[in-house]
Amino acid sequence: MITLGNPEELAILLREQRQQGHRIAFVPTMGNLHDGHISLVREASRLADFVVTSIYINPLQFGANEDLDKYPRTLEADQQKLQEAGNHLLFTPDSTAIYPEGLERHTKVIVPLLTEGLCGASRPGHFDGVTTVVNILFNMVQPDVALFGEKDYQQVAVIRKMVRDLRLPVEIRTGATVREVSGLAMSSRNGYLSEDQKAQAAQIYTTLTAMREQLLKAAHDLPTTIAWGIEALEEAGLRVDYLEIVNSDSLQAARDRSEPLTIAVAAFLGSTRLIDNLSLSPIRDTE
Ligand code: PAF
């Protein structure tokens, strides 16, 4: 596996791949790779001849009081995992390569509406940072297909919308959330949790699955199901940032069960913010 951080070298190498008629798959990440990322890389190598993964901790998507400085940096371990998963090229640009004139002066890509609720409401500007950097990375890599994890449900919806609106010539694929045996969704932020906290955090998935059961059985109306879920999470010692049942397409609060539904949650355990979701309708894989 080749590791490089220079966009010009990346362009030369990828041009050679394209000249050989190779299809390129891309997995953008912020590193500290876990089985969720690795399952995307494995799927990428099924879909394409040449797999590029990027590791770039994007300052533009972190708020002032968020964990940019302490975000885990584990390059050697990540390289090992990628090598084993059959990744061909690891792209590790620095901020000079991504934002040459600095964050403040850089053009931003903003997706309206879909970014207003859920994580967008709690983390103002977060998705502007995501769409801006993903756009830059797409332009640098020019992949045929790019893969993202369904754990970040809103992120996937926002990126699909950006790709559609800007006519970006890339196919977006998603990979199912990979979970610990306890049900806890794998996340780089789980590394901030003690073993006891991980057991506590597993209540997030337990609560989501119980809510899904309630919805499938039409046991209660939506607000009652949400109130039940908030209470269950609080009883488990979590501080709920949001717990919503949204329309899976618009991400607006759902009105009733006839809509495609996704239950989306963000909750704090100590200072660690965890997100998860569960859809009642299948998530579409291609546009
Ligand atoms: O999901 C992530 O790790 C990041 O938001 C992404 C897509 C790599 C953009 O920085």
Side-chain angles (χ1 to χ4, degrees):
M1 183 181 76
I2 305 162
T3 301
L4 53 83
N6 181 322
E8 280 82 39
E9 287 176 29
L10 175 81
I12 293 167
L13 222 140
L14 291 179
R15 200 174 308 126
E16 284 166 11
Q17 290 299 320
R18 269 182 227 102
Q19 278 163 357
Q20 291 171 45
H22 287 169
R23 205 173 134 78
I24 295 168
F26 179 42
V27 184
T29 81
M30 298 205 299
N32 192 231
L33 305 179
H34 50 68
D35 286 355
H37 298 113
I38 296 306
S39 71
L40 294 179
V41 173
R42 291 194 195 283
E43 176 63 5
S45 55
R46 230 181 39 77
L47 295 171
D49 309 290
F50 194 80
V51 181
V52 180
T53 297
S54 65
I55 295 181
Y56 175 62
I57 302 175
N58 173 33
L60 199 59
Q61 69 189 73
F62 286 79
N65 301 317
E66 293 183 353
D67 55 344
L68 173 62
D69 292 336
K70 69 167 185 168
Y71 200 86
R73 289 151 170 89
T74 52
L75 182 61
E76 269 182 37
D78 292 346
Q79 281 173 312
Q80 181 75 33
K81 289 178 190 170
L82 288 171
Q83 174 99 39
E84 285 165 14
N87 189 67
H88 298 102
L89 193 154
L90 171 60
F91 181 45
T92 56
D94 61 14
S95 285
T96 326
I98 301 290
Y99 305 113
E101 293 178 41
L103 298 184
E104 292 302 321
R105 288 166 173 262
H106 206 278
T107 302
K108 284 188 186 149
V109 178
I110 297 174
V111 172
L113 301 175
L114 282 180
T115 54
E116 281 174 7
L118 305 175
C119 288
S122 314
R123 305 182 66 189
H126 166 69
F127 287 113
D128 303 347
V130 171
T131 42
T132 299
V133 81
V134 168
N135 210 298
I136 295 167
L137 291 168
F138 278 179
N139 284 331
M140 286 176 164
V141 177
Q142 298 180 22
D144 297 285
V145 56
L147 296 94
F148 296 86
E150 283 167 11
K151 184 178 80 69
D152 299 303
Y153 188 87
Q154 187 175 16
Q155 171 169 283
V156 172
V158 168
I159 289 170
R160 281 191 193 283
K161 172 88 168 119
M162 171 184 79
V163 164
R164 231 174 16 244
D165 285 356
L166 300 183
R167 277 72 165 177
L168 302 182
V170 56
E171 180 190 346
I172 302 299
R173 293 272 189 151
T174 60
T177 302
V178 178
R179 298 181 181 280
E180 306 281 356
V181 177
S182 67
L184 175 64
M186 291 206 182
S187 161
S188 300
R189 292 192 166 98
N190 293 354
Y192 301 145
L193 303 176
S194 66
E195 286 310 309
D196 283 351
Q197 283 180 316
K198 279 188 190 159
Q200 242 180 308
Q203 285 302 314
I204 295 176
Y205 186 60
T206 308
T207 303
L208 290 181
T209 47
M211 288 176 73
R212 180 173 62 184
E213 279 309 300
Q214 292 185 16
L215 291 169
L216 289 172
K217 286 186 193 145
H220 309 292
D221 60 14
L222 303 192
T224 308
T225 302
I226 294 172
W228 180 90
I230 292 176
E231 207 178 308
L233 290 171
E234 284 174 353
E235 266 174 24
L238 290 133
R239 183 162 60 81
V240 177
D241 180 9
Y242 65 75
L243 175 64
E244 294 190 34
I245 302 172
V246 295
N247 178 299
S248 305
D249 299 320
S250 69
L251 304 189
Q252 300 290 314
R255 283 183 303 275
D256 58 59
R257 288 176 57 255
S258 65
E259 298 177 52
L261 299 180
T262 296
I263 313 166
V265 60
F268 285 94
L269 199 47
S271 58
T272 305
R273 186 173 178 279
L274 302 166
I275 62 169
D276 203 347
N277 67 81
L278 209 51
S279 287
L280 275 78
S281 50
I283 296 175
R284 286 180 306 270
D285 229 343
T286 44
E287 289 296 87

